[in-house]
C-alpha cells in the first residue's frame, strides 16, 4: 500500500516533470558555456562577470538538487553502453575499437522519474560492426 502511494505521488508530477526538461537543458547549456568560456576572471571585466557566473552556477545547483529530490534523474549518457530503452541513436559510427555499442556523444540528455522514462537521450553510437 505504501509503495502504491509513493508511485502515485511520483507519477502524478510526470507531466510537470516533462515540462521542466527544457529548463534543465537551458541550465546545462549555460553551465557548458561557462566551462568553455575563455574569461579571465583577474581582469576588471572578468571580475564583473564572475558574480554573474557564480549566480548562474548557484541557481543551477539548487534547481538540480530540487529536481533530484522529486525523483527526476538523468539517464546514463556519454561512455555508457547503448540501451535502446534509454537512448535514441540518431547517428552511428562503425569502429572495430568498440567492443559493444557505446554512446560516444550525447546531443540531448535523457531523464526518468521513478521507473518511467520522461525522455530518451539523443545520442551518437559507436559500434563494432
Amino acid at each position: 500500500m505504501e509503495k502504491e502511494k509513493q508511485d502515485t505521488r511520483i507519477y502524478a508530477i510526470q507531466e510537470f516533470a516533462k515540462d521542466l526538461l527544457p529548463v534543465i537543458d537551458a541550465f546545462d547549456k549555460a553551465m557548458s558555456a561557462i566551462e568553455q568560456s575563455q574569461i579571465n576572471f583577474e581582469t576588471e571585466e572578468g571580475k564583473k562577470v564572475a558574480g554573474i557566473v557564480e549566480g548562474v552556477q548557484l541557481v543551477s545547483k539548487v534547481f538540480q538538487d530540487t529536481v533530484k529530490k522529486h525523483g527526476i534523474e538523468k539517464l546514463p549518457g556519454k561512455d555508457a553502453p547503448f540501451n535502446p530503452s534509454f537512448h535514441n541513436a540518431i547517428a552511428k559510427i562503425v569502429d572495430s575499437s568498440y567492443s559493444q555499442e557505446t554512446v560516444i556523444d550525447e546531443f540531448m540528455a535523457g531523464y526518468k522519474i521513478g521507473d518511467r522514462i520522461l525522455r530518451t537521450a539523443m545520442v551518437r553510437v559507436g559500434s563494432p560492426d
Side-chain angles (χ1 to χ4, degrees):
M1 183 101 133
E2 189 62 34
K3 169 82 169 120
E4 190 174 310
K5 188 176 175 182
Q6 184 179 6
D7 285 350
T8 300
R9 185 191 73 74
I10 288 174
Y11 300 129
I13 64 168
Q14 183 173 347
E15 289 305 310
F16 178 66
K18 283 182 184 179
D19 290 343
L20 288 178
L21 296 183
V23 178
I24 295 170
D25 293 339
F27 272 118
D28 287 347
K29 285 179 185 175
M31 297 307 296
S32 179
I34 288 169
E35 291 168 6
Q36 294 175 7
S37 72
Q38 300 292 322
I39 299 169
N40 180 354
F41 292 108
E42 301 302 316
T43 66
E44 194 61 38
E45 188 66 27
K47 289 177 184 176
K48 291 177 185 176
V49 173
I52 296 169
V53 167
E54 188 177 327
V56 171
Q57 289 172 329
L58 178 62
V59 172
S60 178
K61 169 109 176 65
V62 169
F63 186 75
Q64 293 290 343
D65 291 347
T66 302
V67 188
K68 185 178 260 186
K69 175 182 166 186
H70 290 281
I72 301 169
E73 297 178 37
K74 191 172 184 179
L75 295 172
K78 188 173 179 183
D79 299 325
F82 176 72
N83 179 339
S85 297
F86 294 164
H87 305 115
N88 180 8
I90 58 173
K92 183 177 181 178
I93 295 175
V94 177
D95 187 333
S96 60
S97 67
Y98 295 105
S99 59
Q100 63 179 348
E101 289 188 318
T102 305
V103 175
I104 57 174
D105 284 313
E106 184 177 56
F107 303 109
M108 185 180 290
Y111 290 89
K112 69 177 184 167
I113 185 167
D115 295 331
R116 294 187 186 175
I117 303 297
L118 293 172
R119 177 178 76 194
T120 57
M122 304 284 267
V123 301
R124 180 181 338 203
V125 177
S127 176
D129 54 14

